[in-house]
Amino acid sequence: MSEKMSVTMFKKPWVKDISIEFRSNIPALFGLFLIFLLFFSAIFVTIDSTFFDRKIISTLIADPLEMTPDTYQPPSKDHWFGTDEFGRDILARVIYGSQTAVIVGISSVGFSFVFGVLIGAIAGFYGGKVDHVLMRMVEVLYSIPALAFALFIVAIFGANIQNVVIAVGIINMPKFARVIRSEVLSIKEREFVMAARALGLKNSRIIMDHVIPNAITSALVVATLSIGTAILDVAALSFLGFGVQPPTISWGLMLSSGREALFIDPYLAFFPGLAIFLTAMSFNLVGDAVRDAFDPKLKTRWNR
Amino acid sequence: MRTEYIINRLIQVLPVMLGIITLAFVMLRLAPGDPITIYMGVRASEEDLQYLRHLYGFDKPIYLQYIDYLKRIAVGDFGTSISYQKPVFDIILKRLPVTLSLVLYSLGFSVIVAIPAGIYSALHKNRISDHIVRFISLIGVSIPRFFTAILLIYMLGYYLEILPISGYVPLREDFVKGSMHLILPAVSLGGALMGYTMRVMRSSMLEVLGENYIKAARAFGLQEKVVVWRYALRNALLPVITIIGLQFSTLLGGSIIIEEIFGIEGIGRLTYRALLARDYPLIQGVVIYYSFLFLLSVIIVDVLYAIIDPRIKYE
């Protein structure tokens, strides 16, 4: 009952703020459109590859995995984006790569979100020694360059999708922990937390039911902004050969093989690079708008 | 007073350093596989493997290895690299100027472009020039470094043949040639920092310009130039310095990818090689190097803060 009340109480201004922000913000709308396109493409790829064995894309464009003798073709009527070193259609591969980007990007941000929010909430709520120890640990994570740390994890524990998600999740976690912690520091002094305490609720219950739901909006803002960075990080790992491995199609891998053939066929690197760039850009645009709608104070608090 | 403060800060960051050293050690030990086997390959005899494991101390219990390791670091001995067969400290020290010159060039590039552009954009809010600056900063923030690098290599290096696309010439030997070699890597590396700095400079300038003391200065009849440069800039710079300090470690991380693309033999490339080869002593050395530079940057930011804003007291 109390949960329902708190949700309905803040849901209204929430939706209103966002719709107002987006109505006046054309770049953000453009970003939103690109994100819809990306998700649409990722869903299409998932359906196509699991139920139709790549039949749909093969009839519409070309089979992203089929090798042909037409290697290194520039863009043409048959191959809008050209072909790669094995004669595979780049457009089809860019579309297929969206699935990896979405899955890895979202799940790694999900990882940072869950652990960052928990660590931040616990540190902020308990304060004192717990806070000190947890935040020093976050600081340790923060003080190694993100890419170096992610590479370190993937290189040591093996290059596969799970490890990439965990590695990128860990390097983006400190942002969540810090933001939530500072929110919780003020929330825990509010009346409803005191009331919950006076009622004799357990600390874990207070954190999960009362503190985190009230601090979650700022974590959502950080999450939207982090998806862009996470996709860049994932692409960087793939580019260095420490990300997802072939035959999984990923933009970072495509870019990396495009780099080797740069002077033969620049398009090979150009289109996947453009896809990564546009994806990151649209999440930045939308993230900015969401942040401005939620909390204008956050405007200058740019982390990483 | 100031040196005392810096020493105090150094002492404060030591636990973080110890944490990083421990983290690196623990993670390497948790890793599956054995570095000696990877290094020697499958054809090595069991006796050789045993001998090498003993030589590098990998046969001891883990807590003893850890204590040994800490002891050696305390006296400045970072061990011997397995793949290079040289002391880790010497390898890193030799490559340090390479990476530092790359990082400083890209820091210089982003600051020199971004600060004036951010100020200009703030002073021309909502005009076309403002929109252009914001668009450029959005591109800088969103574009992957390696994509910038590839585009620049293709356009400026290959198509127009203006700038060299790979290699490194020490600045001390030939400053002009060395700088030419650093332009493309530095721009690709610093793009994101440029973008972040621009937007933070713009927004913090806008915020400061709305403050009462600025209105007072204007009401006093001071010229707009004086108001902006003498009164507003100082305060507007503080958040910019914070963001540059935070982004410094991203530059170091990005140097891994940029050095690899441009064939620069710095610490970024060394990191990549060390990870590929599972060279434990070298990996640990590199991790310490990263955290050391990061903590150094934190202290430099603190000191800069105090210089720019005299109200901040040293404690």
Side-chain angles (χ1 to χ4, degrees):
Chain A
M1 157 94 178
S2 69
E3 272 171 48
K4 263 192 185 152
M5 253 173 68
S6 75
V7 168
T8 42
M9 270 165 73
F10 83 21
K11 201 171 184 179
K12 253 191 177 165
W14 206 75
V15 175
K16 208 171 135 197
D17 286 349
I18 287 197
S19 67
I20 289 174
E21 181 65 38
F22 275 97
R23 236 177 280 163
S24 59
N25 192 336
I26 294 163
L29 272 182
F30 176 65
L32 205 59
F33 168 72
L34 286 182
I35 291 174
F36 276 128
L37 205 66
L38 177 78
F39 275 84
F40 177 76
S41 153
I43 292 167
F44 162 73
V45 170
T46 313
I47 294 171
D48 187 37
S49 59
T50 37
F51 300 118
F52 297 98
D53 200 25
R54 301 192 305 280
K55 286 256 164 52
I56 303 179
I57 195 150
S58 304
T59 28
L60 286 177
I61 304 162
D63 188 342
L65 293 178
E66 189 200 2
M67 302 187 191
T68 64
D70 305 334
T71 54
Y72 299 126
Q73 295 287 311
S76 65
K77 228 169 64 186
D78 294 338
H79 304 286
W80 288 7
F81 287 4
T83 60
D84 70 359
E85 73 271 34
F86 296 115
R88 297 172 297 197
D89 186 84
I90 296 176
L91 175 59
R93 290 177 69 75
V94 168
I95 292 174
Y96 256 63
S98 67
Q99 190 195 27
T100 318
V102 167
I103 292 177
V104 181
I106 303 272
S107 41
S108 69
V109 171
F111 183 96
S112 335
F113 189 91
V114 171
F115 287 95
V117 167
L118 275 179
I119 291 177
I122 291 171
F125 187 78
Y126 288 101
K129 266 189 195 143
V130 177
D131 181 29
H132 196 76
V133 169
L134 284 177
M135 289 331 273
R136 282 301 89 73
M137 277 162 64
V138 168
E139 212 169 291
V140 166
L141 284 184
Y142 213 60
S143 66
I144 307 172
L147 183 61
F149 195 64
L151 264 179
F152 186 75
I153 295 173
V154 179
I156 287 171
F157 295 102
N160 55 46
I161 275 198
Q162 294 94 300
N163 286 344
V164 170
V165 167
I166 294 172
V168 175
I170 290 178
I171 60 177
N172 281 316
M173 200 188 63
K175 285 186 269 189
F176 290 86
R178 288 181 167 196
V179 168
I180 284 288
R181 177 182 170 269
S182 66
E183 287 279 313
V184 169
L185 282 180
S186 72
I187 288 172
K188 72 170 178 186
E189 304 298 336
R190 303 251 296 271
E191 287 87 354
F192 61 89
V193 175
M194 290 182 190
R197 277 204 173 124
L199 282 173
L201 292 184
K202 271 191 288 184
N203 278 338
S204 56
R205 182 81 195 278
I206 300 178
I207 293 178
M208 296 309 287
D209 288 356
H210 300 278
V211 173
I212 289 183
N214 281 288
I216 213 83
T217 37
S218 36
L220 285 175
V221 174
V222 180
T224 335
L225 283 168
S226 295
I227 296 175
T229 350
I231 286 175
L232 290 188
D233 292 332
V234 172
L237 287 180
S238 303
F239 185 80
L240 286 172
F242 279 121
V244 293
Q245 300 298 322
T248 310
I249 302 171
S250 98
W251 294 335
L253 273 174
M254 291 173 72
L255 191 56
S256 160
S257 59
R259 173 199 154 209
E260 277 152 30
L262 185 62
F263 305 133
I264 309 170
D265 179 12
Y267 299 103
L268 195 46
F270 180 72
F271 289 109
L274 194 68
I276 302 170
F277 163 60
L278 287 178
T279 307
M281 190 186 76
S282 37
F283 278 105
N284 278 330
L285 283 170
V286 171
D288 280 354
V290 172
R291 179 196 50 196
D292 291 353
F294 277 150
D295 184 5
K297 272 182 301 178
L298 272 170
K299 267 186 190 175
T300 46
R301 233 196 275 163
W302 264 82
N303 285 329
R304 291 219 193 185
Chain B
M1 190 73 177
R2 213 167 257 194
T3 43
E4 232 174 74
Y5 170 74
I6 295 172
I7 291 167
N8 265 332
R9 284 291 298 159
L10 272 172
I11 294 169
Q12 279 169 20
V13 298
L14 277 179
V16 178
M17 234 149 139
L18 185 68
I20 290 159
I21 293 167
T22 312
L23 183 71
F25 183 88
V26 171
M27 280 182 50
L28 285 174
R29 267 37 181 208
L30 283 176
D34 163 41
I36 298 291
T37 325
I38 290 171
Y39 177 64
M40 293 298 286
V42 278
R43 278 180 294 171
S45 73
E46 193 51 39
E47 288 109 75
D48 285 352
L49 290 178
Q50 285 301 339
Y51 172 72
L52 278 170
R53 270 185 207 124
H54 182 71
L55 190 69
Y56 285 96
F58 291 134
D59 55 346
K60 287 190 207 161
I62 283 186
Y63 69 94
L64 277 183
Q65 286 186 40
Y66 179 64
I67 293 170
D68 275 1
Y69 180 60
L70 286 185
K71 269 190 204 154
R72 276 187 281 119
I73 288 178
V75 294
D77 175 10
F78 288 62
T80 309
S81 153
I82 301 174
S83 47
Y84 287 81
Q85 291 296 321
K86 278 184 206 155
V88 169
F89 192 75
D90 295 356
I91 303 175
I92 291 180
L93 206 63
K94 206 181 138 216
R95 284 163 176 252
L96 190 61
V98 181
T99 297
L100 277 188
S101 54
L102 171 62
V103 167
L104 291 180
Y105 263 68
S106 69
L107 199 67
F109 154 74
S110 17
V111 167
I112 288 170
V113 174
I115 290 188
I119 295 172
Y120 186 84
S121 159
L123 296 179
H124 298 79
K125 196 188 168 192
N126 286 336
R127 300 225 204 119
I128 289 183
S129 48
D130 178 29
H131 290 303
I132 293 173
V133 169
R134 289 170 72 182
F135 186 61
I136 293 172
S137 99
L138 177 71
I139 294 179
V141 174
S142 311
I143 200 164
R145 292 193 170 79
F146 41 93
F147 189 43
T148 323
I150 287 175
L151 289 177
L152 289 177
I153 287 178
Y154 190 77
M155 289 189 300
L156 296 179
Y158 176 74
Y159 194 72
L160 297 174
E161 289 182 59
I162 308 173
L163 290 164
I165 56 173
S166 81
Y168 173 79
V169 177
L171 292 171
R172 254 181 301 167
E173 274 171 31
D174 187 340
F175 188 77
V176 177
K177 213 174 158 199
S179 302
M180 293 290 271
H181 275 86
L182 279 176
I183 291 178
L184 292 187
V187 171
S188 333
L189 183 57
L193 178 60
M194 183 198 73
Y196 283 115
T197 314
M198 263 186 200
R199 58 194 308 170
V200 175
M201 184 73 240
R202 176 179 177 278
S203 64
S204 92
M205 194 58 160
L206 281 175
E207 209 178 311
V208 170
L209 285 176
E211 299 276 345
N212 283 334
Y213 68 91
I214 295 295
K215 287 180 193 151
R218 279 186 184 143
F220 207 68
L222 290 180
Q223 271 187 315
E224 190 62 22
K225 260 186 203 162
V226 179
V227 173
V228 171
W229 295 101
R230 287 246 333 254
Y231 291 81
L233 184 60
R234 231 171 217 256
N235 283 305
L237 271 178
L238 291 176
V240 176
I241 288 173
T242 311
I243 204 77
I244 294 175
L246 284 174
Q247 283 283 322
F248 182 75
S249 90
T250 321
L251 284 186
L252 289 177
S255 73
I256 299 174
I257 221 164
I258 292 300
E259 285 178 10
E260 190 55 32
I261 294 176
F262 287 94
I264 298 171
E265 291 295 337
I267 297 177
R269 215 167 185 205
L270 184 73
T271 311
Y272 186 60
R273 296 250 180 84
L275 287 171
L276 278 181
R278 280 281 186 95
D279 190 335
Y280 280 16
L282 194 54
I283 295 175
Q284 283 165 338
V286 168
V287 170
I288 294 169
Y289 144 86
Y290 281 126
S291 54
F292 178 73
L293 278 192
F294 172 79
L295 296 170
L296 200 66
S297 77
V298 171
I299 292 169
I300 291 175
V301 167
D302 280 357
V303 172
L304 276 180
Y305 244 85
I307 291 174
I308 291 181
D309 189 350
R311 286 171 305 181
I312 295 172
K313 297 245 166 64
Y314 305 109
E315 278 166 39

